[in-house]
Amino acid sequence: SAVISQKPSRDICQRGTSLTIQCQVDSQVTMMFWYRQQPGQSLTLIATANQGSEATYESGFVIDKFPISRPNLTFSTLTVSNMSPEDSSIYLCSAVTGDTGELFFGEGSRLTVL
Amino acid sequence: DQQVKQNSPSLSVQEGRISILNCDYTNSMFDYFLWYKKYPAEGPTFLISISSIKDKNEDGRFTVFLNKSAKHLSLHIVPSQPGDSAVYFCAASAGTASKLTFGTGTRLQVTL
């Protein structure tokens, strides 16, 4: 298993600003992902955070809006840039350990954009 | 296009009875399925999984059934306990190391 810590756990942000969410895993993991859960919706994959290279983004998500870093095997950041109220959501860091396919999640970062 | 569907947004079950949560999928490439439980203000936690080579997997009070021909899976919780009250997400992937596609979740309420 893996313990995933995210910060901040919640924040209230002004329109047009940017916020960086940090994710720390307590063990080396093979894959790290960032998900978003908008109110009343399912978890949607934003991107796969690749160690030492550019993240792989899903359809509808772009690097300029959601820059991601993963400098090593246990740490990643997601920035939500130039925020608008539509970006109000829970952002979840997740990781896969080994090859079982079990995906572990952080507790999430709840962002509210005014 | 919602490839994983949980058509019941909520379910209420009496303590001690069986809870059955359903999930349908459309992508025939999916061969690995998982259930996650999520409490408010917490991240989802892994509950149980099943590979397409099986049709049933059991772990304590939790059993997942897979019907590949119907592209349907279900999670059975028996007996249901008040602590089981949470949102349950069904997820699927093509291969165990592939990205997961989640359903919209079913909120389970176990009443006394």
Side-chain angles (χ1 to χ4, degrees):
Chain A
S1 66
V3 176
I4 302 176
S5 302
Q6 279 184 241
K7 58 180 181 181
S9 58
R10 59 177 61 234
D11 207 341
I12 298 174
C13 308
Q14 295 299 317
R15 181 195 298 262
T17 63
S18 299
L19 181 78
T20 296
I21 304 167
Q22 297 182 3
C23 175
Q24 180 73 54
V25 189
D26 69 342
S27 58
Q28 292 188 352
V29 294
T30 53
M31 302 181 79
M32 292 182 75
F33 306 91
W34 287 96
Y35 281 84
R36 179 174 75 179
Q37 185 186 12
Q38 293 182 303
Q41 298 190 24
S42 70
L43 290 80
T44 303
L45 180 63
I46 297 172
T48 303
N50 300 309
Q51 192 225 339
S53 64
E54 190 173 291
T56 304
Y57 290 85
E58 298 300 307
S59 175
F61 297 97
V62 295
I63 187 171
D64 290 345
K65 177 67 177 177
F66 298 102
I68 288 171
S69 77
R70 187 180 173 193
N72 57 53
L73 288 173
T74 63
F75 184 79
S76 177
T77 66
L78 168 73
T79 299
V80 186
S81 304
N82 187 25
M83 286 185 284
S84 66
E86 292 71 33
D87 295 319
S88 297
S89 184
I90 299 173
Y91 292 86
L92 294 143
C93 173
S94 62
V96 174
T97 62
D99 59 357
T100 63
E102 291 180 23
L103 189 65
F104 296 90
F105 285 88
E107 63 273 22
S109 299
R110 181 183 293 273
L111 301 188
T112 302
V113 184
L114 303 177
Chain B
D1 176 33
Q2 191 72 25
Q3 296 186 62
V4 178
K5 301 177 185 179
Q6 294 176 256
N7 292 319
S8 297
S10 64
L11 175 68
S12 182
V13 172
Q14 208 166 21
E15 181 181 12
R17 301 287 187 102
I18 185 171
S19 296
I20 300 176
L21 295 94
N22 294 304
C23 177
D24 297 293
Y25 61 96
T26 58
N27 189 338
S28 57
M29 298 299 292
F30 288 149
D31 59 2
Y32 190 62
F33 306 89
L34 306 90
W35 285 93
Y36 282 82
K37 180 169 71 172
K38 185 180 185 300
Y39 293 116
E42 294 183 15
T45 54
F46 171 76
L47 198 56
I48 192 169
S49 64
I50 188 168
S51 164
S52 60
I53 62 174
K54 293 185 175 182
D55 53 20
K56 176 183 175 181
N57 189 26
E58 191 172 350
D59 184 2
R61 296 186 298 114
F62 303 92
T63 303
V64 57
F65 295 92
L66 175 63
N67 182 334
K68 291 185 289 293
S69 61
K71 292 191 175 67
H72 176 84
L73 63 154
S74 60
L75 174 68
H76 292 210
I77 306 172
V78 55
S80 301
Q81 300 173 353
D84 296 329
S85 298
V87 177
Y88 290 79
F89 289 97
C90 169
S93 71
T96 57
S98 299
K99 62 186 182 183
L100 293 180
T101 300
F102 284 85
T104 51
T106 296
R107 182 178 301 277
L108 173 65
Q109 181 73 39
V110 180
T111 59
L112 296 174

